[in-house]
mmCIF file of all heavy atoms in Angstrom:
data_model
loop_
_atom_site.group_PDB
_atom_site.id
_atom_site.type_symbol
_atom_site.label_atom_id
_atom_site.label_comp_id
_atom_site.label_asym_id
_atom_site.label_seq_id
_atom_site.Cartn_x
_atom_site.Cartn_y
_atom_site.Cartn_z
ATOM 1 N N ALA A 182 9.322 7.530 -5.995
ATOM 2 C CA ALA A 182 10.356 6.604 -6.472
ATOM 3 C C ALA A 182 10.853 5.728 -5.332
ATOM 4 O O ALA A 182 11.961 5.199 -5.383
ATOM 5 C CB ALA A 182 11.506 7.377 -7.104
ATOM 6 N N TYR A 183 10.023 5.533 -4.320
ATOM 7 C CA TYR A 183 10.456 4.827 -3.112
ATOM 8 C C TYR A 183 10.534 3.318 -3.314
ATOM 9 O O TYR A 183 11.423 2.656 -2.774
ATOM 10 C CB TYR A 183 9.491 5.142 -1.973
ATOM 11 C CG TYR A 183 9.919 4.627 -0.623
ATOM 12 C CD1 TYR A 183 11.036 5.135 0.020
ATOM 13 C CD2 TYR A 183 9.192 3.633 0.024
ATOM 14 C CE1 TYR A 183 11.431 4.677 1.263
ATOM 15 C CE2 TYR A 183 9.572 3.164 1.273
ATOM 16 C CZ TYR A 183 10.689 3.688 1.885
ATOM 17 O OH TYR A 183 11.065 3.224 3.108
ATOM 18 N N GLY A 184 9.600 2.768 -4.079
ATOM 19 C CA GLY A 184 9.526 1.315 -4.205
ATOM 20 C C GLY A 184 10.823 0.683 -4.640
ATOM 21 O O GLY A 184 11.252 -0.343 -4.090
ATOM 22 N N ARG A 185 11.499 1.287 -5.617
ATOM 23 C CA ARG A 185 12.731 0.699 -6.163
ATOM 24 C C ARG A 185 13.869 0.683 -5.150
ATOM 25 O O ARG A 185 14.852 -0.032 -5.344
ATOM 26 C CB ARG A 185 13.159 1.471 -7.412
ATOM 27 C CG ARG A 185 13.760 2.831 -7.116
ATOM 28 C CD ARG A 185 13.918 3.688 -8.335
ATOM 29 N NE ARG A 185 12.625 4.186 -8.791
ATOM 30 C CZ ARG A 185 12.477 5.019 -9.818
ATOM 31 N NH1 ARG A 185 13.539 5.418 -10.483
ATOM 32 N NH2 ARG A 185 11.288 5.437 -10.178
ATOM 33 N N THR A 186 13.762 1.489 -4.093
ATOM 34 C CA THR A 186 14.847 1.597 -3.114
ATOM 35 C C THR A 186 14.721 0.594 -1.973
ATOM 36 O O THR A 186 15.612 0.526 -1.113
ATOM 37 C CB THR A 186 14.884 3.017 -2.509
ATOM 38 O OG1 THR A 186 13.763 3.207 -1.611
ATOM 39 C CG2 THR A 186 14.842 4.080 -3.585
ATOM 40 N N LEU A 187 13.633 -0.169 -1.930
ATOM 41 C CA LEU A 187 13.352 -0.987 -0.751
ATOM 42 C C LEU A 187 14.424 -2.019 -0.474
ATOM 43 O O LEU A 187 14.841 -2.202 0.680
ATOM 44 C CB LEU A 187 11.989 -1.661 -0.901
ATOM 45 C CG LEU A 187 10.773 -0.756 -0.742
ATOM 46 C CD1 LEU A 187 9.496 -1.517 -1.098
ATOM 47 C CD2 LEU A 187 10.682 -0.207 0.673
ATOM 48 N N SER A 188 14.879 -2.735 -1.495
ATOM 49 C CA SER A 188 15.863 -3.800 -1.241
ATOM 50 C C SER A 188 17.149 -3.204 -0.666
ATOM 51 O O SER A 188 17.735 -3.766 0.275
ATOM 52 C CB SER A 188 16.142 -4.589 -2.518
ATOM 53 O OG SER A 188 16.534 -3.733 -3.573
ATOM 54 N N ARG A 189 17.577 -2.072 -1.197
ATOM 55 C CA ARG A 189 18.772 -1.418 -0.657
ATOM 56 C C ARG A 189 18.564 -1.010 0.797
ATOM 57 O O ARG A 189 19.459 -1.185 1.640
ATOM 58 C CB ARG A 189 19.109 -0.191 -1.508
ATOM 59 C CG ARG A 189 20.121 0.749 -0.876
ATOM 60 C CD ARG A 189 20.549 1.853 -1.826
ATOM 61 N NE ARG A 189 19.454 2.650 -2.339
ATOM 62 C CZ ARG A 189 18.902 3.683 -1.689
ATOM 63 N NH1 ARG A 189 19.325 3.988 -0.470
ATOM 64 N NH2 ARG A 189 17.944 4.395 -2.251
ATOM 65 N N ARG A 190 17.400 -0.486 1.100
ATOM 66 C CA ARG A 190 17.122 -0.034 2.461
ATOM 67 C C ARG A 190 17.061 -1.212 3.438
ATOM 68 O O ARG A 190 17.511 -1.109 4.580
ATOM 69 C CB ARG A 190 15.820 0.762 2.496
ATOM 70 C CG ARG A 190 15.905 2.065 1.725
ATOM 71 C CD ARG A 190 14.577 2.809 1.703
ATOM 72 N NE ARG A 190 14.635 3.968 0.830
ATOM 73 C CZ ARG A 190 15.126 5.151 1.165
ATOM 74 N NH1 ARG A 190 15.609 5.324 2.397
ATOM 75 N NH2 ARG A 190 15.136 6.154 0.307
ATOM 76 N N LEU A 191 16.505 -2.340 3.011
ATOM 77 C CA LEU A 191 16.449 -3.500 3.897
ATOM 78 C C LEU A 191 17.846 -4.036 4.185
ATOM 79 O O LEU A 191 18.154 -4.419 5.318
ATOM 80 C CB LEU A 191 15.565 -4.587 3.283
ATOM 81 C CG LEU A 191 14.086 -4.257 3.069
ATOM 82 C CD1 LEU A 191 13.303 -5.515 2.755
ATOM 83 C CD2 LEU A 191 13.480 -3.515 4.238
ATOM 84 N N ARG A 192 18.698 -4.046 3.170
ATOM 85 C CA ARG A 192 20.082 -4.484 3.412
ATOM 86 C C ARG A 192 20.790 -3.534 4.365
ATOM 87 O O ARG A 192 21.547 -3.967 5.244
ATOM 88 C CB ARG A 192 20.851 -4.578 2.096
ATOM 89 C CG ARG A 192 20.491 -5.770 1.230
ATOM 90 C CD ARG A 192 21.514 -5.979 0.123
ATOM 91 N NE ARG A 192 21.617 -4.810 -0.743
ATOM 92 C CZ ARG A 192 20.865 -4.623 -1.830
ATOM 93 N NH1 ARG A 192 19.948 -5.528 -2.165
ATOM 94 N NH2 ARG A 192 21.022 -3.543 -2.566
ATOM 95 N N ALA A 193 20.560 -2.216 4.198
ATOM 96 C CA ALA A 193 21.214 -1.232 5.052
ATOM 97 C C ALA A 193 20.804 -1.389 6.510
ATOM 98 O O ALA A 193 21.563 -1.039 7.421
ATOM 99 C CB ALA A 193 20.897 0.180 4.570
ATOM 100 N N LEU A 194 19.602 -1.940 6.732
ATOM 101 C CA LEU A 194 19.125 -2.176 8.093
ATOM 102 C C LEU A 194 19.607 -3.515 8.646
ATOM 103 O O LEU A 194 19.228 -3.901 9.754
ATOM 104 C CB LEU A 194 17.600 -2.108 8.130
ATOM 105 C CG LEU A 194 17.019 -0.697 7.967
ATOM 106 C CD1 LEU A 194 15.519 -0.758 7.700
ATOM 107 C CD2 LEU A 194 17.301 0.145 9.207
ATOM 108 N N GLY A 195 20.430 -4.218 7.891
ATOM 109 C CA GLY A 195 21.045 -5.445 8.381
ATOM 110 C C GLY A 195 20.264 -6.709 8.115
ATOM 111 O O GLY A 195 20.623 -7.770 8.642
ATOM 112 N N LEU A 196 19.208 -6.622 7.288
ATOM 113 C CA LEU A 196 18.432 -7.824 7.017
ATOM 114 C C LEU A 196 19.159 -8.735 6.027
ATOM 115 O O LEU A 196 19.914 -8.267 5.172
ATOM 116 C CB LEU A 196 17.052 -7.451 6.472
ATOM 117 C CG LEU A 196 16.150 -6.671 7.431
ATOM 118 C CD1 LEU A 196 14.774 -6.446 6.819
ATOM 119 C CD2 LEU A 196 16.022 -7.376 8.781
ATOM 120 N N ALA A 197 18.898 -10.015 6.153
ATOM 121 C CA ALA A 197 19.520 -11.021 5.300
ATOM 122 C C ALA A 197 18.495 -11.566 4.308
ATOM 123 O O ALA A 197 17.289 -11.353 4.445
ATOM 124 C CB ALA A 197 20.070 -12.164 6.165
ATOM 125 N N ASP A 198 18.975 -12.301 3.318
ATOM 126 C CA ASP A 198 18.118 -12.952 2.317
ATOM 127 C C ASP A 198 17.155 -11.962 1.672
ATOM 128 O O ASP A 198 15.983 -12.266 1.429
ATOM 129 C CB ASP A 198 17.340 -14.112 2.950
ATOM 130 C CG ASP A 198 18.240 -15.158 3.551
ATOM 131 O OD1 ASP A 198 19.280 -15.459 2.938
ATOM 132 O OD2 ASP A 198 17.926 -15.672 4.642
ATOM 133 N N VAL A 199 17.649 -10.755 1.384
ATOM 134 C CA VAL A 199 16.808 -9.704 0.811
ATOM 135 C C VAL A 199 16.566 -9.985 -0.670
ATOM 136 O O VAL A 199 17.478 -10.348 -1.417
ATOM 137 C CB VAL A 199 17.467 -8.323 0.990
ATOM 138 C CG1 VAL A 199 16.705 -7.245 0.221
ATOM 139 C CG2 VAL A 199 17.565 -7.972 2.469
ATOM 140 N N ALA A 200 15.312 -9.814 -1.087
ATOM 141 C CA ALA A 200 14.938 -9.952 -2.490
ATOM 142 C C ALA A 200 13.721 -9.068 -2.744
ATOM 143 O O ALA A 200 13.084 -8.586 -1.801
ATOM 144 C CB ALA A 200 14.640 -11.405 -2.846
#
Side-chain angles (χ1 to χ4, degrees):
Y183 188 67
R185 74 192 73 177
T186 72
L187 287 173
S188 54
R189 167 173 57 83
R190 294 177 187 278
L191 297 193
R192 286 194 301 271
L194 288 167
L196 296 184
D198 301 320
V199 172

